Amino acid sequence: MYRPQNLRIPGPTVVPQAVLAASARPLINHRGPEFAALMAALTRALQDFLRTQGDVLLLTSSGSGGMEAAVANTLSSGDRVLLFVNGAFGERFVAICKAYGVDARRIDVPLGRAVEPDLVREELAKEKGKDAAKAVLLQHNETSTGVLNPLREIAEVVREADRLLIVDSISGAGAAELEIDEWGVDVCVTASQKAWGAPPGIAIVSMSERAWKAYERSDLPKAYFDLGAYKAALEKGATPATPAVTVFIALQESLRLMAEEGLEAILRRHQNISRATRRGIQAVSLALFADEAHASPAVTAFRPPTRVDARNLIRVLRDDYDTIVAGGQGKLDGQLVRVGHMGFVTMTDMVAFFSALELALKDFNQPVEPGQAISAALRAYAEASAPAPRTRPAATVGSRR
Ligand SMILES: *Cc1c(COP(=O)(O)O)cnc(C)c1O
């Protein structure tokens, strides 16, 4: 029997049929005029969504390559930086800095909690003199715990202290509010397979003027990830080496679908769906992992029932109910279930997720009434999305994908 999967991991996300179809188009010359037009359109659309007039560069790599590029292009050997870590992706920035000989002072925040602007202010106040930290690095959305760090307020603190702000918004951009220019984010990284709903293969890196000044001074080794080369190539409508042409074409289609919906509506949809998801999980007596005040609009992490290993729950969801969710990373392996709701996700997808969750919990002898999570989630969703009066007859309200 054909059983479609409900792919609910926090990336790769569900790729709409139109985007899949775009990725099946014939290849084009990556040095020709068609590709140059594609690059120009992609860049413009991404600048719109990322709210920046600055450079947006497209690297053929996963998001981690973008993180590496952010470090290698703006810092120098022995530079001191402040690295705020509230999850597994913070650890990745630590590893990259270490590999490049950057003197990263890490500040750990308890998992499930956000990096608070006051903490950033306090830590920056300790950085004085000629060896003071040059940059602050952190995640916007920490995908491993489902925490959205208050980037707007953090950026304000970093701007006051006049340091470089390097942000991994790989899973935040396109799902959470992000104003690169207004907030003053110098380097921001995201990736095609997260909220952009395209296949994996493209890292997207924005560079402010301040970031380019830092690039001029930076002495860290860089070749494939030399962003100066990407900027020069972009002026000719190309990339320094052969790009993942197919993914570039697919991403353009994703961005077209996103532009149809509009950024504001996209962000509202993520907020409403994430709130509904949290209410559904709590309705079946499961504990949310992240501090509710900083809950991610892109992914929700929760604890399995007592005496149930999260890995077993995840296996039952997959094998018996075709629902693919993620587990805890690093220290949280076996302790967390993470359900993704970023990109092209609808409330209907989440109702399907909750159907599977309710059935799986039953299999683990949990006291769950049919529809308990679903109705709580739907109620929260209805409250959040009301009371938009219907202006069109129901029959013309088409499906989005
Ligand atoms: C997914 C993710 C990464 C890693 O991206 P890859 O494309 O797997 O290299 C890094 N940081 C965050 C916050 C992520 O969500």
Side-chain angles (χ1 to χ4, degrees), residues 268-289:
R268 204 175 328 114
R269 173 167 56 80
H270 278 85
Q271 273 193 350
N272 293 348
I273 287 179
S274 69
R275 184 176 300 113
T277 302
R278 295 195 295 279
R279 297 296 84 82
I281 285 162
Q282 286 176 318
V284 284
S285 306
L286 298 178
L288 296 171
F289 185 69

Side-chain angles (χ1 to χ4, degrees), residues 62-64 67 89 92 139 141 143 168 170-171 191 193-194:
S62 86
S64 302
M67 292 169 75
F89 292 108
R92 190 161 300 184
Q139 274 54 47
N141 185 69
T143 321
D168 163 5
I170 291 179
S171 64
Q193 82 278 20
K194 302 280 171 120

Side-chain angles (χ1 to χ4, degrees), residues 119-132:
L119 176 68
V120 178
R121 185 178 288 110
E122 277 165 36
E123 295 299 336
L124 274 173
K126 295 179 193 162
E127 297 290 327
K128 293 205 185 79
K130 73 177 202 349
D131 297 325

Side-chain angles (χ1 to χ4, degrees), residues 73-310:
N73 282 273
T74 56
L75 302 174
S76 294
S77 52
D79 265 3
R80 189 177 164 85
V81 303
L82 285 189
L83 225 163
F84 291 87
V85 178
N86 63 335
F89 292 108
E91 303 282 352
R92 190 161 300 184
F93 255 155
V94 173
I96 292 168
C97 285
K98 194 163 168 230
Y100 278 87
V102 171
D103 173 18
R105 180 159 77 84
R106 67 181 279 172
I107 295 121
D108 282 87
V109 170
L111 299 178
R113 304 279 284 277
V115 176
E116 295 289 352
D118 282 345
L119 176 68
V120 178
R121 185 178 288 110
E122 277 165 36
E123 295 299 336
L124 274 173
K126 295 179 193 162
E127 297 290 327
K128 293 205 185 79
K130 73 177 202 349
D131 297 325
K134 294 203 166 52
V136 170
L137 286 81
L138 82 162
Q139 274 54 47
H140 180 199
N141 185 69
E142 181 41 87
T143 321
S144 68
T145 59
V147 167
L148 183 74
N149 287 318
L151 186 60
R152 177 203 293 265
E153 292 80 6
I154 291 168
E156 201 177 316
V157 171
V158 176
R159 283 282 68 81
E160 275 166 23
D162 199 24
R163 313 298 158 92
L164 213 59
L165 178 58
I166 300 175
V167 175
D168 163 5
S169 186
I170 291 179
S171 64
E177 192 188 7
L178 172 63
E179 294 277 345
I180 287 186
D181 287 357
E182 193 189 310
W183 298 354
V185 178
D186 294 306
V187 189
C188 190
V189 183
T190 178
S192 54
Q193 82 278 20
K194 302 280 171 120
W196 309 103
I202 305 177
I204 299 153
V205 183
S206 76
M207 290 279 285
S208 71
E209 273 181 35
R210 240 183 333 258
W212 283 121
K213 286 207 183 85
Y215 169 86
E216 295 303 328
R217 290 188 301 269
S218 159
D219 70 2
L220 292 183
K222 42 194 159 290
Y224 182 76
F225 284 135
D226 186 335
L227 294 180
Y230 284 82
K231 185 173 161 66
L234 179 61
E235 277 152 23
K236 298 193 201 101
T239 50
T242 313
V245 176
T246 296
V247 189
F248 278 59
I249 295 170
L251 180 61
Q252 187 185 27
E253 184 63 19
S254 286
L255 291 168
R256 193 186 63 73
L257 295 177
M258 288 174 73
E260 265 177 22
E261 185 179 3
L263 181 58
E264 226 179 289
I266 291 171
L267 300 184
R268 204 175 328 114
R269 173 167 56 80
H270 278 85
Q271 273 193 350
N272 293 348
I273 287 179
S274 69
R275 184 176 300 113
T277 302
R278 295 195 295 279
R279 297 296 84 82
I281 285 162
Q282 286 176 318
V284 284
S285 306
L286 298 178
L288 296 171
F289 185 69
D291 175 3
E292 174 92 25
H294 297 287
S296 165
V299 56
T300 298
F302 58 95
R303 301 257 189 204
T306 2
R307 287 183 294 279
V308 173
D309 188 304

